[in-house]
């Protein structure tokens, strides 16, 4: 009986192996596809963040540059309608990039961008008041230019945080 029992056990194991092999192979394939989908999603999210960072960095620096230009032109009395339109377009673009980034970037990046935003928004308001002849006491183009310098280290800090979050090392 031992030989017959051994043969029967061998046959059962063989049949079970034959029946389970496709199931196990399918489970392995499913697990592999799930891993690949997870990797693809992580890559997509990284690309989304990279795009948001690039757009926000570009827009904030452009807005900063145009604010500086506007203050020089206001100071020199040559601020024209074209300058106003260009600055307003840059402000809107910056606002849109900032809003987009708020949806996809980590809080530490948002904290850095808020610091930049506070300075740029404050100086933008000063430019508008100076342009309209409604400057508050003590406001001047020269003073606003000095205040705008506050944004430069904040922009650099924001860029460094973004790069670090993307894994870019110096």
């Amino acid at each position: 009986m031992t030989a017959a029992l051994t043969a029967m056990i061998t046959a059962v194991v063989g049949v079970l192996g034959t029946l389970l092999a496709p199931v196990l192979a399918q489970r392995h394939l499913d697990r592999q596809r799930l891993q690949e989908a997870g990797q693809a999603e992580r890559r997509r999210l990284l690309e989304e963040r990279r795009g948001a960072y690039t757009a926000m960095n570009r827009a904030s620096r452009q807005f900063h540059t145009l604010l500086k230009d506007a203050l020089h032109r206001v100071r020199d009395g040559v601020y024209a309608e074209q300058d106003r339109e260009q600055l307003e377009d840059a402000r809107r673009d910056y606002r849109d990039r900032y809003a987009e980034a708020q949806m996809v970037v980590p809080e530490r990046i948002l904290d850095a961008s808020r610091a930049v935003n506070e300075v740029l928004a404050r100086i933008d308001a000063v430019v508008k008041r100076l342009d309209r002849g409604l400057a508050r006491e003590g406001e001047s183009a020269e003073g606003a230019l000095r205040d705008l310098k506050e944004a430069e280290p904040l922009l650099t800090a924001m860029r460094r945080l973004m790069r670090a979050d993307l894994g870019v090392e110096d």
Side-chain angles (χ1 to χ4, degrees), residues 69-112:
D69 291 348
L71 287 166
H72 284 290
R73 290 175 172 281
V74 165
R75 179 196 62 201
D76 298 343
V78 293
Y79 193 58
E81 188 58 34
Q82 179 182 350
D83 301 315
R84 288 178 194 92
E85 290 171 8
Q86 192 176 20
L87 180 60
E88 186 60 19
D89 288 345
R91 186 194 65 77
R92 282 190 194 114
D93 183 50
Y94 169 71
R95 179 202 59 207
D96 292 346
R97 300 309 139 236
Y98 182 76
E100 289 170 4
Q102 287 178 321
M103 298 298 112
V104 297
V105 305
E107 197 64 33
R108 65 187 177 282
I109 307 298
L110 287 179
D111 289 343

Side-chain angles (χ1 to χ4, degrees), residues 120-138:
L120 297 181
R122 186 177 72 236
I123 300 303
D124 184 49
V126 171
V127 168
K128 288 180 173 137
R129 285 192 297 270
L130 289 170
D131 181 41
R132 294 179 182 131
L134 301 172
R136 294 179 180 165
E137 188 174 326

Side-chain angles (χ1 to χ4, degrees), residues 49-60:
R49 263 196 343 262
R50 180 180 288 132
Y53 289 166
T54 301
M56 190 165 62
N57 186 55
R58 183 191 67 247
S60 59

